């Protein structure tokens, strides 16, 4: 049984190239504007309002609740995107890329 598991691991790893899931490098320093540009999908239009409200501090943006974003006049869909990506960023599952993706 142990021999079969070991041979499966060898066969799966043999000859397969290392996969790169991230084609573009991450930004070294992430600010509020860079974060919102990384989210994309129209959220970057609110960058000036959000940056002024949180004082340019990304940590404060990550702790922001939906009611505060609503008071800034940010639509529901964009609030949902900001909060979703903030949660992913806190967990280390997502980081804004150096070059934003172009919408097609």
């Amino acid at each position: 049984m142990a021999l079969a598991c070991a041979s499966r691991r060898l066969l799966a790893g043999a000859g397969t190239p290392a996969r790169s899931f991230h084609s573009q490098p991450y930004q070294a320093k992430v600010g509020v504007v860079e974060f919102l540009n990384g989210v994309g999908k129209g959220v970057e239009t609110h960058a000036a309002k959000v940056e002024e409200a949180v004082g340019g501090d990304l940590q404060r943006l990550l702790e922001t609740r939906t009611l505060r974003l609503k008071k800034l006049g940010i639509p529901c869909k964009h609030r949902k995107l900001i909060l979703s990506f903030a949660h992913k960023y806190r967990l280390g599952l997502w980081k804004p890329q150096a070059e934003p993706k172009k919408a097609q």
Side-chain angles (χ1 to χ4, degrees), residues 1-10:
M1 181 69 172
L3 183 61
C5 290
S7 65
R8 257 189 251 139
R9 273 185 262 146
L10 287 175

Side-chain angles (χ1 to χ4, degrees), residues 7-8 15 18 28-32 34 47 51 57 65-67 69-70 73-75 79 82 89 91-93 101-102:
S7 65
R8 257 189 251 139
K29 181 184 178 291
V30 178
V32 174
E34 291 83 11
E51 186 174 28
D57 184 20
R65 305 265 183 211
T66 189
L67 188 60
L69 295 174
K70 185 175 185 176
I74 298 174
R79 290 194 308 265
I82 291 169
Y89 184 81
L91 295 176
L93 299 175
K101 294 180 182 177
K102 295 182 182 175

Side-chain angles (χ1 to χ4, degrees), residues 23-46:
S23 60
Q24 298 175 349
Y26 292 134
Q27 292 189 2
K29 181 184 178 291
V30 178
V32 174
V33 176
E34 291 83 11
F35 182 86
L36 295 176
N37 285 336
V39 172
K41 300 176 184 168
V43 175
E44 61 274 2
T45 59
H46 308 290

